[in-house]
Amino acid sequence: MDQASREQLLKDVEAFCQEIRPIDELCYVEHRFNDQVLPLGRKYNLLGIPVPTEYGGRGADAVTYARALARIGQEGTGVRTFFSGHTSIGEAPIMYWGTPEQKKRYLPAACKGEKIMAFGLTEPEAGSNPLEMQMTYERRGDKFILNGVKYLISNGGIADVIITFAKGPHGRVSAFIVDTRGPGFAKEDLLAKCGMPTSNTAMFELNNYEVPAENLLGEEGNGFRIAMGTLVTGRLSVAAGCLGVIVDCLNESVTYARERHQHGKEIARHQLVQEHIAGIEMDRVTTEALVLQAAAAKDAADAAPANLELKNRAEILAAQAKLHASNAAWDAADRAVQVFGGRGWSTLYRPGRHLMDVRVCRIYEGTDEILKLKVAAYVLGKEYEAYK
Ligand SMILES: Cc1cc2nc3c(=O)[nH]c(=O)nc-3n(C[C@H](O)[C@H](O)[C@H](O)COP(=O)(O)OP(=O)(O)OC[C@H]3O[C@@H](n4cnc5c(N)ncnc54)[C@H](O)[C@@H]3O)c2cc1C
């Protein structure tokens, strides 16, 4: 991506963010799904930021995409999660593992917002260990027949296409591009969430669901590798979004602490309030460094797909960035709530909303615990992998 295209993209992201803010705030307070993210994403051409231009996207490198998501993350984890579901784990597996025909069939439509994307790996009985999945497939002629339930899927209730993982008769996992409009597809929005009311999370069931053979993604039996590979872009997107949350918490806290007076002066002049401001700034600066390092590692790995060392480095840095960023964002939101005092503990103000929403970032795309095990195994050696 050249410098002029990069600058234009980040300008479009800024304009999108300014337009979405009042809409998302109203939706949040009214506790309803924000149906304007898609049309505004389309208006500013943001529905395929890293997708190559030949398939209708903006062709952004990982560092630029991370900067875009960090800006979008300031608007809230709900808004950013739409982009993660649609692009980072929805379009990305087709970008990386799709055939040229699959790319032509899905990516331009997804970039135009004609097809909303999602990623269906988690099931009621298979979360941290996706290999325990119960969704099955079998081949019948020129079709695959899928049966089972997927749970807690971002965009799952609004998606036209879901990258879906199922186990075959041989016990190996395969990935499928599932169009959701056929008979045998049932879905239900999950509304009893602690946060992110403006974002869609759903479960869906496939009942003898027919998927054309040409919608197998990658080689049969290679689905687990595709799922784990996709988590690299997914984790990067979460980490970048968390950076945005931290930046917004910092901006809000600084503004509020300068305006609010107690004990005869701005609360920003009280040293214990300054401790919170310094804490959020440290969250910001450490997270930014790690997110940019991880995104640069992803760019390096993408530039040399056969280089296993670069691929492994991108994978561990994405996990480390996500683990750090999600905890730093949780800390920043907690501190911002404290700076706001009683007003902080309210969904009428941004810190309280960030606190409720960003908590999920320590759970999805790999929980804190799973990522710590991954980091420890990276340091100790593969033979110490505790989850095996
Ligand atoms: C809002 C939201 C959106 C989501 N979006 C998607 C999506 O788009 N697509 C998708 O496929 N999934 C999605 N998920 C699912 C998410 O990835 C899972 O919730 C997550 O992987 C954890 O799985 P689980 O909930 O089954 O928890 P479990 O795996 O049951 O874990 C419960 C607890 O046990 C711990 N634990 C489990 N195994 C170990 C171990 N070996 N060692 C130590 N601790 C362990 C976990 O860390 C956790 O603390 C979403 C979830 C939420 C809440």
Side-chain angles (χ1 to χ4, degrees):
M1 174 174 240
D2 61 43
Q3 187 58 19
S5 311
R6 183 175 294 123
E7 282 169 14
Q8 185 56 52
L9 169 65
L10 295 176
K11 268 189 206 154
D12 291 338
V13 168
E14 182 61 37
F16 165 84
C17 289
Q18 288 184 15
E19 201 166 337
I20 204 73
R21 179 167 291 205
I23 300 169
D24 203 63
E25 289 194 335
L26 188 62
C27 290
Y28 204 110
V29 172
E30 293 177 353
H31 212 83
R32 63 181 165 84
F33 172 66
N34 182 352
D35 62 5
Q36 292 304 300
V37 175
L38 180 74
L40 287 180
R42 186 188 297 130
K43 175 178 170 184
Y44 292 104
N45 192 9
L46 302 179
L47 297 174
I49 296 175
V51 174
T53 49
E54 63 177 303
Y55 294 111
R58 302 290 289 258
D61 49 80
V63 169
T64 305
Y65 183 40
R67 286 191 193 283
L69 285 177
R71 178 62 191 90
I72 291 169
Q74 290 185 42
E75 301 315 313
T77 300
V79 177
R80 194 271 307 151
T81 294
F82 171 84
F83 287 90
S84 292
H86 178 72
T87 296
S88 306
I89 54 178
E91 293 169 331
I94 299 182
M95 271 166 60
Y96 285 105
W97 290 279
T99 62
E101 186 275 326
Q102 288 170 339
K103 291 180 192 179
K104 269 190 224 138
R105 200 148 41 97
Y106 287 98
L107 293 178
C111 292
K112 280 189 222 139
E114 291 163 3
K115 286 187 192 295
I116 301 178
M117 309 293 292
F119 174 88
L121 180 64
T122 304
E123 298 185 1
E125 302 306 328
S128 296
N129 184 8
L131 286 173
E132 284 170 298
M133 75 173 62
Q134 294 172 4
M135 182 169 277
T136 59
Y137 76 86
E138 59 174 291
R139 178 125 194 186
R140 270 190 225 152
D142 59 354
K143 294 186 175 65
F144 290 99
I145 309 297
L146 272 63
N147 278 290
V149 175
K150 295 289 175 183
Y151 183 51
L152 287 168
I153 306 305
S154 303
N155 299 346
I158 55 171
D160 303 286
V161 178
I162 306 182
I163 307 302
T164 303
F165 299 85
K167 256 187 197 167
H170 40 62
R172 286 177 69 86
V173 175
S174 294
F176 300 91
I177 306 172
V178 171
D179 292 298
T180 61
R181 306 296 171 197
F185 182 94
K187 63 188 176 182
E188 186 181 332
D189 288 343
L190 300 170
L191 300 172
K193 299 181 286 187
C194 287
M196 293 212 304
T198 70
S199 149
N200 178 269
T201 315
M203 61 192 292
F204 67 90
E205 180 171 10
L206 301 181
N207 191 354
N208 287 324
Y209 199 77
E210 293 185 355
V211 177
E214 63 265 25
N215 278 27
L216 174 71
L217 182 63
E219 284 166 29
E220 190 171 357
N222 203 27
F224 189 66
R225 238 193 74 211
I226 293 176
M228 294 303 109
T230 302
L231 288 181
V232 177
T233 45
R235 286 171 183 163
L236 260 179
S237 76
V238 176
C242 286
L243 173 59
V245 169
I246 298 168
V247 169
D248 198 47
C249 287
L250 187 63
N251 293 341
E252 290 290 311
S253 298
V254 166
T255 304
Y256 189 80
R258 282 183 174 145
E259 284 170 0
R260 175 74 175 166
H261 285 70
Q262 286 295 282
H263 297 99
K265 56 184 174 187
E266 303 107 289
I267 61 168
R269 295 193 185 278
H270 297 306
Q271 290 179 353
L272 290 176
V273 173
Q274 291 187 2
E275 197 264 343
H276 288 306
I277 303 284
I280 302 173
E281 167 61 4
M282 292 312 295
D283 288 330
R284 186 196 67 77
V285 80
T286 52
T287 300
E288 183 177 58
L290 201 41
V291 165
L292 292 179
Q293 193 185 354
K298 179 77 178 109
D299 279 330
D302 285 349
N307 188 324
L308 199 61
E309 203 178 310
L310 289 179
K311 182 174 161 285
N312 290 341
R313 183 175 143 74
E315 188 184 319
I316 190 66
L317 274 167
Q320 289 170 321
K322 193 271 194 184
L323 176 61
H324 177 81
S326 56
N327 281 275
W330 171 246
D331 178 69
D334 184 47
R335 288 179 183 279
V337 164
Q338 200 67 19
V339 170
F340 271 61
R343 290 181 181 87
W345 196 58
S346 159
T347 52
L348 290 178
Y349 293 85
R350 302 185 65 74
R353 297 201 289 268
H354 281 310
L355 186 82
M356 300 308 288
D357 295 353
V358 86
R359 183 63 179 81
V360 77
C361 296
R362 293 177 51 201
I363 296 170
Y364 63 19
E365 307 264 354
T367 62
D368 276 1
E369 291 77 14
I370 293 302
L371 295 180
K372 282 177 188 170
L373 297 183
K374 192 174 170 61
V375 172
Y378 165 72
V379 176
L380 290 163
K382 238 179 153 29
E383 66 275 25
Y384 285 86
E385 278 179 346
Y387 41 75
K388 284 228 167 124

